[in-house]
Amino acid sequence: MQRPNWLRRLSQLSAPRWLRPDAVKTLAILLATTLSCIVLAAVISSFDTVCLIVIYILAVVLISRFTNGYFWGIAASVAGVVAVNFFFTYPYSALDFTRAGYPFTFASMLLVSVMTSAMTVQIKQQARQSEERERHTRELYSISSRFLAARGGQQIAQAALDCLVGLSRPGILYGGNPAQEDCPVWTRGASSGQELVLRSSGERFAAGWVFAHGRPAGAGTEECTRSAVFYQPVCAADGVLAVIGLLYDDGGRPDAEQLGFLDSLASQMALALERQRLSEEQNAILMESEREKMRSNLLRAISHDLRTPLTSILGASDAILESSGQIDRETHDKLVGDIREDSQWLIRMVENLLSVTRISAGGTATVHKAPEAAEEIVAEAVGRIKVRYPGQPLDVRVPDEFLLVPMDATLIEQVLINLVENAILHSGIPMGAGAPPIDVHITRRGGDALFEVRDYGKGVPAGMIPRLFEGYDVQQARSSDSSRGMGIGLSICSSIVRAHGGEISVENPPGGGAAFRFTLPIDEVKTIGQ
């Protein structure tokens, strides 16, 4: 709420010049100097006019040092000349500048005093300007540090609002075009009444004008003069990015210091927003490059993994059709079994491809995560594996705590199935009652859920480990007649885990075999039973 005009005018009234602190300092120093000279002249017989002049010049220097501007130093110079003439030159207690030598002496004293006063004031102003520049540099460094630590538009806006607190006035920040209804708006340091003023339709119109024209407007300017807020645009190379405002509901206007601060703040904020935009563009480019790489690896893997089982199916079906009356029942059943096995492999391949499609839907490598019980996901995957490979023993271990892990349940289940099936098919150990089990374990490691699938077979060749999850070099190590490739499955596992923000790895641990591990962030995990 604005104060009445009569109250504002009363608060702007200033004390008379002679009652101001600078006037009091000047009178006190001149009085002390005159009394000191009177005492010295009475005590020291050889105390002459030259000593008096030096003392009064020293008084002028002190007055110039401890007062503001040139006025008091010059006034002290004139007063010193008058005091020396009145109290210490003949005729005493009278002003007389006509005696021989007096005009030159007093003119020289006045000139020296004025020059000394001017030089003292100038040096003081230079020191003040140096301190102001140093303070401004510290402020810029502080602002820059805040923006460097900010990540994302929300944090940049909060850093800008934190910087406005130093101006001791309510502030407002529009994170876009104020003319748009969905433009984000933040305020800082405003009371409920000031909040209403800052968010009023008239103020929003003024902020929209600033965004459209890229020039300051509002309080203290020639544009939008009815506004109680001074608005500063945040300009970048490609246009205005945001608008900063300071409220002057007391009828005031921004001074030079506040204008400089707001201009520096707007510049630093523009750089931070530009840096954020460039970072987002770079991340988008990297993501697109990653997707292209994933698609290339997928196509290379498919080129082999589809061709080989299809060729086997075609050969077995041709043999059955062309030699149906010449082959025995056992051979017939084996060919049909091979067709069925290869068909199941192709079905699982299609499931993997569908998983990749879910990751890449909409052109972004994102997944829709929801809290899922890790134990239930493992149970579903193990159940499907037992249906496909009933003779394979499995050792499943889950933690005592009940973990809810943010994930896409279908995709993570597919990862577990791929890893267990890979262990069954490539461990080199025949399935059966005497075969060592495949371990499927879940543990909690800090802020991650750790999934591990381990077999006790021949392990992974050391030369394949660095590029095992890329799905290309693996193909080079396979025989031309193999129909059981693991490249595409592991490549898809890696894509799914990375899309969840996790990591996947493989090693040949002591004791033999291969251990595949992947992690999922559990920053949203809730635990029960601890």
Side-chain angles (χ1 to χ4, degrees):
M1 182 179 297
Q2 296 188 2
R3 294 186 297 178
N5 292 334
W6 65 269
L7 186 57
R8 288 204 304 269
R9 288 196 297 269
L10 181 62
S11 64
Q12 293 169 0
L13 292 178
S14 58
R17 180 179 291 272
W18 63 274
L19 285 177
R20 294 180 184 178
D22 288 347
V24 175
K25 294 176 185 177
T26 302
L27 292 175
I29 294 175
L30 285 176
L31 181 60
T33 302
T34 302
L35 293 176
S36 300
C37 289
I38 291 174
V39 173
L40 291 173
V43 175
I44 303 174
S45 58
S46 60
F47 196 73
D48 57 10
T49 306
V50 176
C51 295
L52 293 170
I53 292 174
V54 172
I55 293 175
Y56 271 98
I57 291 176
L58 176 60
V60 170
V61 172
L62 292 175
I63 291 171
S64 301
R65 169 64 180 84
F66 293 107
T67 58
N68 297 315
Y70 291 92
F71 174 79
W72 299 110
I74 296 175
S77 301
V78 175
V81 171
V82 172
V84 171
N85 182 270
F86 186 81
F87 292 105
F88 304 104
T89 57
Y90 185 83
Y92 300 106
S93 300
L95 295 175
D96 186 0
F97 294 96
T98 62
R99 296 179 66 86
Y102 280 9
F104 176 76
T105 300
F106 291 125
S108 299
M109 176 184 175
L110 180 61
L111 179 61
V112 172
S113 298
V114 171
M115 291 179 61
T116 303
S117 173
M119 292 177 62
T120 303
V121 172
Q122 187 175 8
I123 292 172
K124 186 173 65 173
Q125 288 180 344
Q126 290 176 351
R128 187 182 299 114
Q129 291 173 357
S130 178
E131 292 176 356
E132 183 67 23
R133 285 194 295 268
E134 182 181 357
R135 186 179 64 84
H136 187 64
T137 301
R138 288 197 302 268
E139 289 176 350
L140 287 178
Y141 177 77
S142 176
I143 294 173
S144 178
S145 300
R146 289 175 181 268
F147 284 128
L148 284 175
R151 294 292 181 271
Q154 179 78 16
Q155 292 188 15
I156 292 175
Q158 293 302 323
L161 290 170
D162 290 341
C163 293
L164 287 178
V165 173
L167 297 179
S168 302
R169 282 191 174 273
I172 187 169
L173 174 62
Y174 291 91
N177 187 354
Q180 298 177 354
E181 291 296 330
D182 59 347
C183 173
V185 184
W186 299 273
T187 59
R188 182 65 57 87
S191 64
S192 57
Q194 292 170 333
E195 187 87 13
L196 293 176
V197 174
L198 288 171
R199 294 181 179 269
S200 64
S201 58
E203 294 298 342
R204 196 176 187 102
F205 173 82
W209 187 95
V210 172
F211 188 92
H213 294 82
R215 301 201 310 268
T221 68
E222 297 180 355
E223 305 292 346
C224 303
T225 55
R226 297 177 63 88
S227 173
V229 181
F230 173 80
Y231 293 103
Q232 173 74 35
V234 179
C235 301
D238 54 351
V240 181
L241 304 177
V243 177
I244 301 174
L246 278 184
L247 178 62
Y248 292 86
D249 56 342
D250 54 359
R253 57 187 301 169
D255 55 28
E257 180 180 355
Q258 291 172 336
L259 291 175
F261 182 86
L262 285 174
D263 184 65
S264 300
L265 177 61
S267 300
Q268 293 293 328
M269 185 177 179
L271 290 175
L273 291 173
E274 280 287 291
R275 185 169 58 251
Q276 177 68 23
R277 182 180 62 83
L278 292 175
S279 176
E280 291 175 354
E281 291 180 354
Q282 183 180 17
N283 290 337
I285 292 174
L286 291 176
M287 290 176 63
E288 182 62 29
S289 175
E290 189 68 23
R291 287 195 296 271
E292 288 296 330
K293 182 179 179 180
M294 185 183 69
R295 282 193 286 266
S296 298
N297 291 338
L298 182 63
L299 289 175
R300 284 195 294 267
I302 290 174
S303 65
H304 185 281
D305 282 339
L306 288 183
R307 184 187 303 113
T308 301
L310 286 175
T311 302
S312 176
I313 292 173
L314 180 62
S317 59
D318 285 343
I320 292 174
L321 291 176
E322 294 175 0
S323 307
S324 57
Q326 303 176 7
I327 58 177
D328 55 31
R329 184 66 182 178
E330 180 180 357
T331 303
H332 178 274
D333 291 345
K334 183 179 184 305
L335 291 175
V336 173
D338 290 342
I339 292 175
R340 183 177 183 275
E341 185 177 355
D342 287 331
S343 299
Q344 290 177 338
W345 175 259
L346 290 177
I347 290 174
R348 291 191 290 273
M349 179 75 68
V350 172
E351 291 176 351
N352 282 330
L353 295 178
L354 291 176
S355 298
V356 174
T357 302
R358 292 190 61 187
I359 297 177
S360 302
T364 58
T366 58
V367 293
H368 300 287
K369 295 187 288 185
E372 299 286 349
E375 182 179 356
E376 294 181 1
I377 301 302
V378 172
E380 289 289 336
V382 169
R384 293 178 63 181
I385 287 294
K386 287 186 174 295
V387 171
R388 296 179 184 177
Y389 305 97
Q392 176 62 51
L394 298 175
D395 180 18
V396 181
R397 297 180 188 175
V398 297
D400 294 334
E401 60 180 324
F402 184 71
L403 293 182
L404 291 178
V405 183
M407 68 172 78
D408 185 313
T410 303
L411 294 179
I412 297 303
E413 182 180 330
Q414 187 66 42
V415 171
L416 289 171
I417 292 174
N418 283 358
L419 294 180
V420 174
E421 190 172 45
N422 175 73
I424 294 173
L425 298 177
H426 299 280
S427 64
I429 299 177
M431 287 185 294
I438 293 176
D439 297 336
V440 182
H441 297 169
I442 305 176
T443 57
R444 181 172 184 175
R445 187 178 65 182
D448 295 328
L450 175 63
F451 296 77
E452 179 177 358
V453 175
R454 178 181 177 179
D455 63 67
Y456 295 87
K458 60 184 180 181
V460 179
M464 294 173 56
I465 291 179
R467 301 177 66 88
L468 185 63
F469 297 103
E470 296 184 11
Y472 177 68
D473 286 353
V474 177
Q475 305 299 328
Q476 309 300 327
R478 291 164 50 191
S479 61
S480 59
D481 59 348
S482 173
S483 65
R484 298 293 180 266
M486 63 178 172
I488 185 172
L490 294 181
S491 175
I492 289 172
C493 290
S494 176
S495 299
I496 293 174
V497 172
R498 282 187 284 109
H500 279 74
E503 298 179 354
I504 188 169
S505 62
V506 61
E507 68 172 356
N508 295 325
F516 287 83
R517 302 183 182 95
F518 69 91
T519 60
L520 296 180
I522 54 174
D523 52 335
E524 303 170 7
V525 161
K526 299 179 181 178
T527 62
I528 299 175
Q530 281 191 321

